[in-house]
Amino acid sequence: MLDTRQLEVFATVARTGSFSAAARELHCTQPAISQQMRALERQVGGPLFVRTGRGLTLTEAGRILAERGTALLDELAATHQQISAIATHDIGTIRICAFPSATVSLVPAAAAILAKERPHLRLELVEEEPPDSFALLRRGAVDLLISFSYEDEPLDEAAGMLRVPLLHEPLALLVPTGHRLAGHERVSLKETADERWIAGCPRCRHALDQACTEAGFTPDITCSTDDNLAIQSLVSAGLGIALVPGLVLSFLRHPGLTTVSIDSFAQRNTALYTWPDLIRLPIVRATVDALVTAAAKVL
């Protein structure tokens, strides 16, 4: 591998035509320049200069190295500039993975904040449910992950990651307008024991099963889907009732639906995950701050 410092010295010698002129420009001694060039010639395996009187003439190898070495140094300088801009300013791309209800609520609200504060920042969005979403962050496919969990649920997949809490969402009962429970301000989950249920994603279905078990019954689940609009449509059509977190109801309300508070300790916790080293980057820190601000206003 060629030493970039030696390449820089070589480029200066080739441009100025002598070791002494290069030494003056680089603010060092002529012997230091000679030593660097001898080391470079040993590395490439042959002479790069031929002395012609008081000046120097490039050999064929020297001409090739001068041409390609200058281009290489220019590319390295441009790369360094881009990396510095990404690390210290607001230029770059942040890749965010989020579950569906966060993608249509939290992420747009945070993006609006970033559009004003960091107009050159580009967001790339990926939609995925946990636990599969954690695999994307672990293999470096995304920079930030918005995920959720329920009470007492282990978070083994997040080991080593930085966790930033965003929301604590109480669960509400979603019923059709005209349902026997629609007029109630608050009900016990036991009162739904004879109902049919529409369940969400596997993690949400597990939370429903657990909450109903604690209430003393097993839910009669007639349909499961991770599509929030489909859940609301199925409930509106009278095919079952559903247990939904507050974030879902913050952005979408199908006609013909009513929400009822329930007596249950069950809630969904939404949090942001990233790697501790990434949070040190200003653009990552700014994105995290925007998501925290958006979460405080979304419900």
Side-chain angles (χ1 to χ4, degrees), residues 179-216:
H179 187 275
R180 64 180 182 86
L181 298 176
H184 293 66
E185 182 177 345
R186 193 173 190 87
V187 301
S188 167
L189 198 55
K190 289 183 179 180
E191 297 179 60
T192 67
D194 296 328
E195 297 288 337
R196 294 180 301 171
W197 289 86
I198 309 298
C201 69
R203 180 166 287 193
C204 297
R205 176 169 180 156
H206 176 74
L208 171 63
D209 283 331
Q210 187 173 11
C212 293
T213 298
E214 291 174 357

Side-chain angles (χ1 to χ4, degrees), residues 134-194:
F134 282 92
L136 295 177
L137 181 59
R138 194 162 292 281
R139 68 170 182 258
V142 296
D143 306 304
L144 298 174
L145 166 64
I146 302 173
S147 186
F148 66 85
S149 60
Y150 289 90
E151 292 298 291
D152 301 323
E153 192 171 22
L155 294 174
D156 297 336
E157 63 263 38
M161 298 175 184
L162 175 68
R163 183 179 186 272
V164 179
L166 294 177
L167 291 168
H168 298 292
E169 304 168 68
L171 302 182
L173 201 61
L174 193 64
V175 301
T177 300
H179 187 275
R180 64 180 182 86
L181 298 176
H184 293 66
E185 182 177 345
R186 193 173 190 87
V187 301
S188 167
L189 198 55
K190 289 183 179 180
E191 297 179 60
T192 67
D194 296 328

Side-chain angles (χ1 to χ4, degrees), residues 10 12 42 66 85 133-134 215 230 235 260:
F10 170 77
T12 305
R42 286 196 299 271
S133 54
F134 282 92
V235 173
V260 181

Side-chain angles (χ1 to χ4, degrees), residues 3-10 13 19 26 28-43 48-49:
D3 186 298
T4 55
R5 174 57 182 167
Q6 291 176 353
L7 279 178
E8 290 171 352
V9 173
F10 170 77
V13 172
F19 288 176
L26 296 174
C28 61
T29 65
Q30 182 172 332
I33 297 293
S34 299
Q35 183 180 4
Q36 291 270 20
M37 292 303 91
R38 285 196 298 270
L40 182 59
E41 287 179 328
R42 286 196 299 271
Q43 193 167 5
L48 298 171
F49 304 98

Side-chain angles (χ1 to χ4, degrees), residues 228-242:
N228 291 309
L229 179 58
I231 289 174
Q232 297 199 24
S233 296
L234 290 166
V235 173
S236 179
L239 299 178
I241 63 175

Side-chain angles (χ1 to χ4, degrees), residues 40-168:
L40 182 59
E41 287 179 328
R42 286 196 299 271
Q43 193 167 5
V44 300
L48 298 171
F49 304 98
V50 174
R51 291 192 175 276
T52 53
R54 294 184 177 181
L56 297 172
T57 300
L58 293 173
T59 64
E60 181 64 21
R63 285 193 293 272
I64 293 174
L65 185 59
E67 178 183 342
R68 298 184 181 178
T70 299
L72 176 60
L73 290 171
D74 289 343
E75 181 65 26
L76 286 173
T79 301
H80 180 267
Q81 184 179 24
Q82 291 174 13
I83 292 174
S84 296
I86 292 171
T88 61
H89 299 92
D90 60 350
I91 301 171
T93 299
I94 295 293
R95 302 164 300 169
I96 301 175
C97 177
F99 56 93
S101 56
T103 301
V104 297
S105 56
L106 277 177
V107 175
I113 295 171
L114 290 168
K116 296 178 181 178
E117 298 178 354
R118 306 245 173 176
H120 299 294
L121 182 61
R122 175 185 175 87
L123 297 180
E124 291 184 359
L125 306 179
V126 178
E127 190 171 273
E128 187 60 82
E129 299 271 4
D132 294 339
S133 54
F134 282 92
L136 295 177
L137 181 59
R138 194 162 292 281
R139 68 170 182 258
V142 296
D143 306 304
L144 298 174
L145 166 64
I146 302 173
S147 186
F148 66 85
S149 60
Y150 289 90
E151 292 298 291
D152 301 323
E153 192 171 22
L155 294 174
D156 297 336
E157 63 263 38
M161 298 175 184
L162 175 68
R163 183 179 186 272
V164 179
L166 294 177
L167 291 168
H168 298 292

